[in-house]
């Protein structure tokens, strides 16, 4: 049975999409069958995959609004062995359309159930909000991973996220907060080192940290994973591989 992982943080620009994409690629390199789901109306993961949101025949919007089943919206991603259910801007309309429905928080979970067993991992990329789409993601998930920059404000933002997770647990008892992935870490910044110490006291935190590097933005421009763009020997690629191994150790 596939493990469903939500990549969530209520802040934007903290490497959620970068993590969803490169974690998926690392899991695939480790022999896992992976499905990525883009649940952000900004469609960054879809664009990262080199897909054009305006040209999609089917997207997660059609799945959530019951115009099709999850299997009908599956596509091949540019990375061999990884499938994606892409998003387009009309996903923001889905948010409005489903908000008045009874059981609205369970739509994604119900729709994913028939495809989950075809994969080892399902990785869901979320928008920087804790609205009805993200709650759908959390209800459909086994685990939450929160990428975060090691700054004071980001640390404070995690309080809101963990309180939302605690509320969701009453509807989805299997949901576990796997941990915070520290990203964009700069070892020369003393503020970062101080915040990391605080973070580790308050939240489960992955041993692996991803350092700041311009190569991440460049890889995204060329729709390549950090492995394909910078090579496996690049420290950032190695970090995502080590992180994926921690995820597998945790989730099985
Ligand atoms: N480790 C990193 N170092 C430097 N830049 C990064 C790193 N990880 C991601 N980025 C860049 O930061 C920006 C925001 O990342 P993104 O994954 O889109 O964040 P989010 O999905 O949380 O909004 C992107 O331009 C991305 O390429
Ligand atoms: Mg994003």
């Amino acid at each position: 049975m596939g493990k469903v992982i939500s990549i969530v943080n209520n802040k934007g620009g903290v490497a959620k999409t970068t993590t969803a994409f490169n974690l998926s690629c690392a899991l695939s390199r480790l022999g896992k069958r992976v499905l990525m789901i883009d649940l952000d109306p900004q469609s960054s993961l879809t664009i990262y995959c080199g897909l054009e949101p305006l040209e999609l025949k089917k997207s997660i919007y059609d799945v959530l609004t019951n115009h099709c089943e999850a299997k009908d919206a599956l596509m091949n991603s540019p990375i061999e062995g990884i499938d994606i259910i892409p998003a387009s801007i009309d996903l923001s309309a889905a948010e409005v359309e489903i908000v008045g429905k009874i059981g609205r928080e369970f739509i994604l979970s119900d729709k994913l159930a028939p495809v989950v067993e075809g994969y080892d991992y399902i990785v869901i990329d979320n928008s920087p909000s804790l609205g009805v789409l993200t709650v759908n993601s959390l209800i459909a998930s086994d685990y939450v991973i929160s990428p975060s920059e090691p700054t004071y404000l980001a640390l404070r933002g995690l309080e809101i996220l963990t309180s939302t997770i605690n509320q969701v647990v009453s509807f989805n008892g299997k949901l576990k907060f796997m941990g915070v992935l520290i990203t964009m870490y700069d070892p020369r910044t003393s503020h970062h080192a101080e915040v990391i110490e605080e973070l580790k006291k308050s939240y489960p935190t992955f041993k692996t940290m991803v350092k700041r590097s311009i190569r991440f933005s460049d890889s995204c421009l060329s729709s390549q994973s950090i492995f394909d763009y910078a090579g496996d020997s690049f420290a950032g690629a190695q970090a995502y591989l080590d992180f994926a191994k921690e995820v597998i150790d945790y989730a099985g």
Side-chain angles (χ1 to χ4, degrees), residues 75-89:
M75 297 178 71
N76 294 321
S77 83
I79 312 292
E80 215 189 303
I82 304 182
D83 290 339
I84 179 169
I85 300 182
S88 62
I89 187 69

Side-chain angles (χ1 to χ4, degrees), residues 7 11-18 20 38 40 42-45 125-128:
I7 309 294
K11 258 175 83 64
V14 295
K16 284 184 295 297
T17 304
T18 306
D38 190 351
D40 181 355
Q42 286 191 47
S43 318
S44 308
L45 183 65
D125 186 30
N126 284 279
S127 70

Side-chain angles (χ1 to χ4, degrees), residues 202-237:
S202 313
Y203 300 100
T205 307
F206 289 94
K207 278 198 224 86
T208 309
M209 298 190 277
V210 184
K211 287 189 190 147
R212 181 175 289 280
S213 164
I214 190 68
R215 295 214 196 169
F216 283 100
S217 315
D218 293 343
S219 68
C220 168
L221 275 179
S222 58
S223 295
Q224 282 181 305
S225 74
I226 198 65
F227 304 97
D228 290 334
Y229 181 80
D232 290 12
S233 59
F234 169 57

